[in-house]
Amino acid sequence: MSATLLEGAPIAEQIKADVKAAIAEMGRTPKLAAILATDNKGAQFYAQSQGKACEEVGIDFELCELPADASQCAIEDKIAALNADPAVTGIILLMPVPEGVDGRALQRCIDPRKDVDGVHPANLGAVVQGSTTLAPCTAQAVFALAKASGVPLFDAPMDAAGKGLEVCVVGHSEIVGKPSALLLLDKFCTVTVCHIGTQDLKAHTTRADLLVVAVGKAGLIKGEHIKPGAVVIDVGINRVKTEDGKSKIVGDVVFDEAVEVASQITPVPGGVGTVTTAMLLKNIIDAARLQA
Ligand code: NAD
């Protein structure tokens, strides 16, 4: 078998078109404020790409840089100011935060209606009820790619055979694995969540018609971990060295092996990440509507 590529671009383009139309209809320009209190190169790069994505669709972007040793109080004050600023539609707190600062406590300080990263407990909690409004962007991306793949997702507990999809999510982080699992569970999938403590990973992954992998370990999922014909959504982003001494980005799934077994697979890059960026823009529109 040779799997079809489940690319993120068509989904992302549709979301961006919807976002542009929504901005035109709103008659005001939304604004994203990103708080960066770190020298971490990855976070700086991520902030830059958020700025570019916003610019592309006509959303204002402000990078709020604080020192890499900023205190809890200083960051809380910044969040409070952005919460109170009516010109700011969405707030993102980039990770990592300075050593000794409680990132979770900071996430709780963000006004839930401006929490476009979907990290406030109120928004994470709404995912339990199947809500995708201000849900974590990557979980929404996984869900959108699952829908685009055509796997059976149900709003009610019945189909011809009376059974939902068998899903395995590898990775149980708060903003990727867990919310992805919950969104799929809400569509009557039977979801198994695996993690670092899972004893026999392969026993679970090979039962799945939809396999979502969000770990951050290149090569973790090989061809033998995949049920023939399954749809594979690879969330992982790993930089690995190539033979010529350069480096490249790969997922958690051994792509060359997986394409021989799966029916559809997301590329890395060009799959989940592409949709995740677009979902951030969609969340900014959702936030603007909540605040209107
Ligand atoms: P995390 O470190 O918070 O969580 C990793 C998860 O993997 C944990 O649940 C852990 O228990 C599990 N795990 C670790 N080793 C394992 C093993 N050997 N077997 C099974 N499970 C194991 O990571 P995260 O924030 O959820 O991100 C996961 C990956 O997804 C990373 O590569 C990250 O860069 C990537 N990511 C991609 C996007 C995107 O838009 N494409 C967005 C967010 C994260």
Side-chain angles (χ1 to χ4, degrees):
M1 182 179 297
S2 188
T4 309
L5 277 189
L6 185 54
E7 303 212 56
I11 301 170
E13 288 312 314
Q14 182 59 57
I15 294 169
K16 283 190 245 174
D18 292 347
V19 165
K20 282 184 193 165
I23 294 171
E25 199 179 302
M26 280 191 304
R28 67 174 268 248
T29 307
K31 178 174 170 181
L32 172 66
I35 303 172
L36 182 73
T38 172
D39 293 331
N40 181 285
K41 291 273 176 287
Q44 290 170 348
F45 177 78
Y46 187 40
Q48 274 173 13
S49 48
Q50 286 173 347
K52 271 192 214 152
C54 285
E55 193 186 346
E56 196 188 326
V57 294
I59 293 174
D60 286 343
F61 178 75
E62 183 187 347
L63 183 62
C64 308
E65 287 186 88
L66 295 175
D69 61 353
S71 66
Q72 186 90 28
C73 263
I75 306 177
E76 280 179 12
D77 286 351
K78 186 69 209 174
I79 294 172
L82 295 171
N83 281 343
D85 184 347
V88 172
T89 319
I91 302 170
I92 275 199
L93 173 67
L94 288 144
M95 295 291 164
V97 290
E99 224 180 293
V101 166
D102 182 346
R104 269 203 182 162
L106 293 176
Q107 288 170 338
R108 285 196 295 271
C109 292
I110 298 173
D111 180 340
R113 293 168 315 151
K114 294 192 177 188
D115 169 37
V116 291
D117 223 5
V119 292
H120 189 286
N123 291 322
L124 283 172
V127 175
V128 175
Q129 299 174 332
S131 169
T132 51
T133 306
L134 299 187
C137 303
T138 308
Q140 290 193 66
V142 167
F143 189 61
L145 282 156
K147 274 209 265 190
S149 77
V151 291
L153 301 172
F154 298 102
D155 291 325
M158 71 283 272
D159 73 358
K163 290 199 175 79
L165 191 72
E166 197 71 41
V167 175
C168 181
V169 178
V170 187
H172 78 323
S173 69
E174 282 167 21
I175 61 157
V176 187
K178 282 181 191 169
S180 297
L182 285 168
L183 291 177
L184 292 162
L185 188 61
D186 196 59
K187 296 296 171 197
F188 293 91
C189 298
T190 302
V191 186
T192 303
V193 183
C194 299
H195 43 69
I196 188 72
T198 299
Q199 287 190 17
D200 186 352
L201 187 60
K202 195 172 144 189
H204 299 290
T205 59
T206 47
R207 278 195 294 113
D209 299 309
L210 171 64
L211 176 59
V212 179
V213 190
V215 172
K217 284 190 181 158
L220 180 73
I221 300 297
K222 302 182 173 54
E224 65 183 26
H225 289 90
I226 300 167
K227 178 177 176 180
V231 172
V232 177
I233 297 181
D234 189 354
V235 184
I237 300 176
N238 308 287
R239 185 170 286 282
V240 294
K241 285 234 158 70
T242 52
E243 279 171 11
D244 57 6
K246 295 183 178 154
S247 68
K248 64 172 181 177
I249 298 291
V250 298
D252 293 338
V253 177
V254 181
F255 187 83
D256 293 349
E257 292 185 16
V259 284
E260 297 302 324
V261 190
S263 62
Q264 298 179 63
I265 181 167
T266 57
V268 179
V272 178
T274 307
V275 185
T276 297
T277 308
M279 285 299 179
L280 171 64
L281 306 173
K282 174 247 169 213
N283 271 0
I284 295 169
I285 299 303
D286 284 351
R289 288 186 174 134
L290 284 174
Q291 291 159 47

